[in-house]
Amino acid sequence: MSAPTLTPSTPSTRARDRRGFKARRWFLATGWRHLVGWVMIVFSVFPLLYVLSASLNPGGTLLSSNGLFSTIGFDSYTKLFNSPQQPYAAWFGNTLTIGLITAAGTVFLGALAAYCFSRMRFAGRRVGLLTLLVVQIFPQLLAVVAIFLLLTGIGDIFPALGLDNQVALIMVYLGGALGVNTYLMYGFFNTVPAAIDEAAKLDGASHARIFFTIILRLVAPILAVVGLLAFIATTNDFVIASVVLVSPEKQTLAVGLYQFVSQEFSSNWSVFAAGAVLAALPVMALFLFLQKYIVGGLTAGAVK
C-alpha cells in the first residue's frame, strides 16, 4: 500500500485561504449587521412601494397591484379632488390645521409644565410627576365614551366646544398629550444647568423672562421632537376624530379616507392609496425640516 501524497501549498492557494479567512472574520464581526440592515430596509420599503404602486394603478383593487408599477396612471389622484361627497381637499386642510395647532399647543403647554417641575419646588411635585407617568399606562381608547358624554354636555352650554366641532377635538388632543410629553421635556430641562437661571435672576429677570428668552432657546431640540410626535399622532388618529367629528366637511384625513373602503360594493383601494400617499407628505416635510433636532432631542430627553 502506497502512502498518501500531500499536495504542496502554492502562493496562490495560501493567498486564497487568507482572503477566505478575512472574509469570514469580517462577516462575523460586522458583515452580519449589513445583512440584517438590508433585510430591514427591504421590510420597511416594500409596503411603501406597494402603496405607491396601488395609487398609480387605475384598477381600483389591491390584487391588480401585485405586479409593482405594471400599469401607471394618475386617475386615482384626480378622483380625490372631484368628488363632492368626499371632499379630500377639505380633509387635507382640516388635518393640517388641527395638527399644527395641536402640535404648537402641546409644545407650549408641555414646556410650561416641564419648566415648573424642573425648576420649582412645591408640594405634590413628585406625586404629580408620578401621576403623569401612571396615567399613560391606560390607553386613550378607554376614554372615548367619557369624551363623547363630556362633549355632549358641554355642547349644550357652549356649542363651540361640543360635538362636531374642530375646536373641541383640539382641546381633547391637548389634554391627552400633556402627560408623556411633559415627562419627556422634564428630562431635557434637567440637563440645562440651573446656574443659568440663577445668573439671570441676579440681573433681575423673572421666571417668565428666563423661560421665554433663555430656556426655550436651549431646549429647542426637545420642542421640535415633541411637536413632531404630536403632529404625527394627531394626523394618524382615527378613533377620537371619528367620534367627535361627524360632518364630512369637518373630518380629518384618517376619518375621511375610510369612506373609500368602508362601502361593501364600491371600495376603491386605488383612490384610498393615492390619498394615503398625499397624506404622508406633510409628515415627511415636517420630519425633514426638524431632522437636525430629532436625534439630540430624543437622546437627551431620555436622561432624567
Side-chain angles (χ1 to χ4, degrees):
M1 180 181 294
S2 60
T5 59
L6 299 177
T7 303
S9 60
T10 61
S12 60
T13 304
R14 290 194 297 270
R16 186 168 58 251
D17 293 340
R18 284 196 298 269
R19 287 195 299 268
F21 175 75
K22 290 181 179 179
R24 288 192 298 270
R25 187 172 62 180
W26 173 83
F27 182 82
L28 293 176
T30 60
W32 64 272
R33 302 178 184 178
H34 294 269
L35 179 61
V36 172
W38 279 109
V39 172
M40 296 304 297
I41 290 175
V42 173
F43 183 79
S44 302
V45 172
F46 178 77
L48 302 179
L49 293 178
Y50 192 87
V51 172
L52 181 60
S53 174
S55 68
L56 297 175
N57 192 326
T61 62
L62 291 180
L63 294 178
S64 60
S65 303
N66 289 337
L68 294 180
F69 303 103
S70 57
T71 58
I72 296 178
F74 295 94
D75 298 338
S76 299
Y77 289 92
T78 57
K79 290 179 182 178
L80 281 175
F81 302 95
N82 294 331
S83 177
Q85 294 79 16
Q86 297 163 333
Y88 183 84
W91 298 340
F92 198 92
N94 295 338
T95 302
L96 288 180
T97 303
I98 296 174
L100 293 176
I101 294 176
T102 302
T106 300
V107 169
F108 180 69
L109 296 178
L112 288 175
Y115 178 79
C116 293
F117 282 117
S118 177
R119 291 297 191 264
M120 300 179 183
R121 299 296 180 265
F122 51 89
R125 173 176 168 272
R126 287 186 172 275
V127 177
L129 284 173
L130 183 61
T131 303
L132 288 176
L133 190 61
V134 172
V135 168
Q136 304 307 310
I137 298 176
F138 304 97
Q140 201 174 24
L141 186 63
L142 296 177
V144 171
V145 177
I147 291 173
F148 177 80
L149 296 177
L150 182 63
L151 293 181
T152 302
I154 295 176
D156 296 335
I157 304 173
F158 301 103
L161 297 179
L163 290 176
D164 202 19
N165 196 292
Q166 297 176 357
V167 178
L169 181 62
I170 293 174
M171 294 301 173
V172 172
Y173 286 150
L174 290 179
L178 286 181
V180 62
N181 294 327
T182 299
Y183 204 85
L184 183 63
M185 288 186 180
Y186 167 75
F188 199 100
F189 273 71
N190 286 341
T191 63
V192 179
I196 298 177
D197 300 39
E198 297 174 359
K201 290 178 182 179
L202 292 176
D203 292 335
S206 61
H207 280 293
R209 186 171 184 180
I210 294 173
F211 175 77
F212 287 105
T213 62
I214 300 176
I215 300 299
L216 285 184
R217 298 181 182 181
L218 298 177
V219 297
I222 195 63
L223 300 182
V225 170
V226 170
L228 178 63
L229 295 179
F231 183 80
I232 293 176
T234 303
T235 304
N236 295 336
D237 178 67
F238 174 81
V239 177
I240 296 180
S242 62
V243 171
V244 177
L245 302 178
V246 181
S247 301
E249 66 275 4
K250 295 182 179 180
Q251 292 175 341
T252 59
L253 282 173
V255 181
L257 285 177
Y258 181 68
Q259 299 180 15
F260 290 110
V261 295
S262 60
Q263 300 176 8
E264 184 177 358
F265 299 104
S266 60
S267 298
N268 196 326
W269 289 97
S270 180
V271 179
F272 176 84
V277 170
L278 294 181
L281 295 181
V283 178
M284 293 176 56
L286 187 61
F287 182 86
L288 293 176
F289 179 74
L290 300 176
Q291 64 177 342
K292 62 180 180 180
Y293 300 107
I294 292 175
V295 176
L298 288 175
T299 56
V303 181
K304 183 178 179 182

